[in-house]
Amino acid sequence: MIIRSRHPLPIISADRDTVYPLLPLMTAVLFPRTTLTLQIGRPENLRLLRSALRSNSSFICAYSHADIEIPTGQPLHQVGTLAIVRDLQEGPGRSVSATIEGRERVAIQSVATGEPVLQAAVARLEPAASVSIGLQDAIATTFRLIAEITQLDPIYSPELSRVLEHNREDPDLLADRVAASFHFSLSAKQELLETLPLESRYEQLISCLEQERSRIATVLSINENARKQIEEDQRRHVLRQQLVEIKRQLGEDFREEKEAARWTKILTERTELPPEVVNRARIEIDRLKELSPGSSEFGVIKSYLDLLLNLPWGKTSNQRLDIGVAEGILVQDYFGPRTVREQVLQRLSVRQLLGGTDRGPTLCLVGAPGTGKASLARAVARAMGREFVRISVGGVNDPTALRGVSRTFLGAQSGRFLRRLRQCRTVDPVILVEDIDVFNLDNDAAVNMALLSIIDARRNHRFIDEYLGVPFDFSQALFICSVQSYEDLPEPFIPRFDILEMPSFIEREKIQIAKKYILPQICERHGLRRKEVRLSDRTLSLIITGYTREAGLLAFSQQIEKICRKIALEKAEGRKRVWTLTERNLDGYLGTPLYMPEVAETAPEIGTAAGLAWTGAGGELMFIEGLKMRGDAQIITTGSLGDVMRESIQAAHSYVRSKADVLGIDPNDFREFDLHIHFPSGAIPKDGPSAGVAVCMVIASVLAERPIRNDIAMTGEMTLRGRILPVAGIKEKVAAAFRAGITEIVLPKGNEKDLKELPAEVIGETTFHLVERVDELFAICLLDFQPSSFTLEKLFHEEIDKARTRNRRGRKTGRPSPAAKSPRRRRSSRR
């Protein structure tokens, strides 16, 4: 109930505390030797004051408001003031205006509920210490601040400083009267009342005066600025009215009225606008009539109306989708796997059956640069008879770039999608959203949700742009997203996307695409005719293998553009009419080849196997090398290998060790020799399990000292029990082996279905070994391999021993052995 003081109180000791009536003050703090006028309305407080006035007795005034709530009773501060009543005057209603005077500070020790008022037991406090030299400087600062405040704020009397000057000789009284004279906060006044040392009290007093001076200066500055603005507005209004009158006298028309009439006409002609848009446009047109053309708000409203009324509200392509025609256009415009076209046609069929909308997941094309993502999206737009729009969201880290900025801010504008859609003639275009892999690198959830609210068909039918302020329907637009790899997709997008992987192109496909699409387009862009540039299949193959290393066609197209630019220069100079590029003159256009393709070994070698790998640039032929040396059974791996590949090497070594008898390997070799497995191109990081079978063959070849065939390549993941599991990228890997001149390839049995995607000429010229277990590879890949006769004899004897063991167990347990079951059954039947 009592809020104790934060400062130590110099209480005068006495035998017992004196008890006085207690008057809680809610709206004021009473200082010693100052007077205070209060409006009293409570009956118990009125009885206390009247009783004190009649008997000329004292009572206690204490501030009864706290910054925190106290659950038990009314909060009272410990330090109060002993006071007497000077006058009582009847006020409005039943209230009384009371003038009280403070005598001295006291410390409340306890409070008791009495009748009819509260009773407080108090202790007296020692007076303040004598005046020091430093206190005189504080008093001078106090008077300086008082003078400044009275000059700034007319609410304080100019004579206040002169009146307080009479108390200079009594610093204790001066501090109390200054605190009582100024409009400090009640908590600050209570703090001054509780501070008894004069040095500390004057420090707080000066701080309160400085805060009061700052407050007054701020208020005066605001009032002055407001006054100037009002005067400026009044002056502008008068001048504007005069200008209006002058124009009327001259008979000139008003520009704002013409502009408003123009927008009203546009609004009337756009009958397809939703009611929300019509209402918003009318409000803005009415505001436009009341503004001057020279005002900034006039231009803002004009820009807003320009966006609002020029968006394609309700305008569709009005072209019926024909699946047969769409399939023909996709085949003509997009050169890629049939499975990709089928999945796109399936989605288009759903949209046709639903009347032009689809609430399913958003289509996302995943593939390396140049694999035809934009070409496929453009082909879809042509197949549907719709406009094609490309929007990049790369580098977007702020949701306002997508949702727009509210018109209350300076420089406000709509979001990126609405600005781009304003240029379309319909509301249902095909929109390709690119560069999602570099979107929102800070991983801000608000930015992710802003993009999803636009492209997600389940929630974009009432998209609200912060600048536009009215709902816009994106559900009729077909959104197609593109990303370079699945790992680059932001996690919140994965469950809302329908992933469609775009496979890389092999060399033969690139040549066909170049002859059908790339060369005609590039020649047209460079002012050349197609028949003027002659590139054979062999030359195109050299460009692909020697100057590019990619899964797509981007770098390939750039090299062809480089050739066409040089040809354009020669044509402009009039040197030739036809240019034929061959192996001999290709260096003159493109320079020295940048890459040296891998080729098969010329002869079988021990410890060298041709593995097949898939990279971001397509398939690669990867030679794996191994050798053994005297040591203590260590396995050394080099070539920037990842953890998965290291584990595959360890599993292959363990499997070969378990098959030492079959391979004719001395078991002591595993303890006396170290193995070193090396993957060339050590600067390139490598990882993945698909090299497991090749590593197994290398280890078996080194330890069994048998060479591996040089005309065979292999890929597949192996398990510790010798099973071969399917892997990815079969199309690219086979193309890499075919390019290197290898005509026999070992593939997992589970990848048999992937052979359907290979070109017919590759399948016709290549022999495929589809295997399920590693044991089958020993006879295929190792030269002169014959299972050890010792091993076969040992296995025969092991089978005989197992049969005898089963017979013995049957006699001990009473269960018949397999060989004795049928005779016993016959005897049982005769009984």
Side-chain angles (χ1 to χ4, degrees), residues 615 639-642 645 681-687:
T615 65
S640 298
L641 308 183
M645 189 168 284
S681 301
I684 302 174
K686 310 171 188 67
D687 203 0

Side-chain angles (χ1 to χ4, degrees), residues 22 40 176 247 272 279 315-316 418 496 538 646 671 689 701 714 728:
L22 177 61
I40 307 297
D176 290 341
K247 286 185 176 181
E272 75 281 0
N279 296 335
K315 293 182 178 180
T316 58
L418 273 186
R496 295 173 171 85
R538 177 60 181 167
R646 293 179 187 275
R671 296 189 296 269
S701 171
M714 62 198 76

